[in-house]
Amino acid sequence: MEIIVMLAAVILLFVSGIHLFWAFGGRWGGRAVVPEKVGGGLTFRPGPAETAAVAALILVACYCLVAQAELLSGLEANRVTRWGSILCAAVFVIRTVGDFRYVGFFKRYKHSVFAKYDTWFYSPLCLFLGVAFVAALQG
């Protein structure tokens, strides 16, 4: 369990860092991370504030995960980290299932750059993160 949780925490830190990079104007990987509409165009255009907020939420999720699993001395599981971990597990599993249109394993539109990455990387990663939060809750 500890290895799964530690790996998930490192992934969450990395993903948060990428979001901060984008929030401050970075462009690397940007084309493959927002779903595209049928016929072209993005489903939404996240701005710097929204992207920074996502980075902050991912850091909070990482804290909940590490504290709930009690991996670092000084961080103890409590009611907040438990409920935060339950919420994160639910969010990541729901993200894995998706919206049945553009996102998740059950999406209908599968012919964009995002859709290919989503099928082979983003959705499996979200499933792994959901499992990691459940594992932290078991410990």
Side-chain angles (χ1 to χ4, degrees), residues 1-6 69 71 132 134-139:
M1 180 204 60
E2 287 183 8
I3 292 172
I4 290 171
V5 172
M6 283 189 278
L71 289 181
V134 170
L137 287 161
Q138 302 306 312

Side-chain angles (χ1 to χ4, degrees), residues 25-97:
R27 302 231 181 252
W28 174 80
R31 183 168 183 267
V33 296
V34 177
E36 300 168 42
K37 296 178 190 174
V38 176
L42 301 177
T43 56
F44 65 97
R45 295 193 184 282
E50 294 92 350
T51 307
V54 169
L57 287 171
I58 294 169
L59 280 177
V60 170
C62 184
Y63 172 81
C64 287
L65 179 68
V66 171
Q68 184 62 38
E70 296 183 341
L71 289 181
L72 297 175
S73 61
L75 295 180
E76 294 182 7
N78 58 48
R79 189 180 331 185
V80 173
T81 63
R82 180 166 182 75
W83 281 105
S85 294
I86 291 169
L87 177 65
C88 288
V91 166
F92 283 116
V93 170
I94 290 168
R95 165 57 182 85
T96 299
V97 172

Side-chain angles (χ1 to χ4, degrees), residues 92-138:
F92 283 116
V93 170
I94 290 168
R95 165 57 182 85
T96 299
V97 172
D99 66 354
F100 299 102
R101 188 162 187 191
Y102 295 114
V103 176
F105 281 132
F106 301 103
K107 66 185 158 293
R108 282 178 276 148
Y109 182 59
K110 300 178 182 188
H111 304 292
S112 68
V113 172
F114 171 83
K116 288 177 178 77
Y117 278 96
D118 185 55
T119 297
W120 296 104
F121 185 65
Y122 306 143
S123 290
L125 178 62
C126 287
L127 180 59
F128 170 76
L129 292 172
V131 168
F133 276 97
V134 170
L137 287 161
Q138 302 306 312

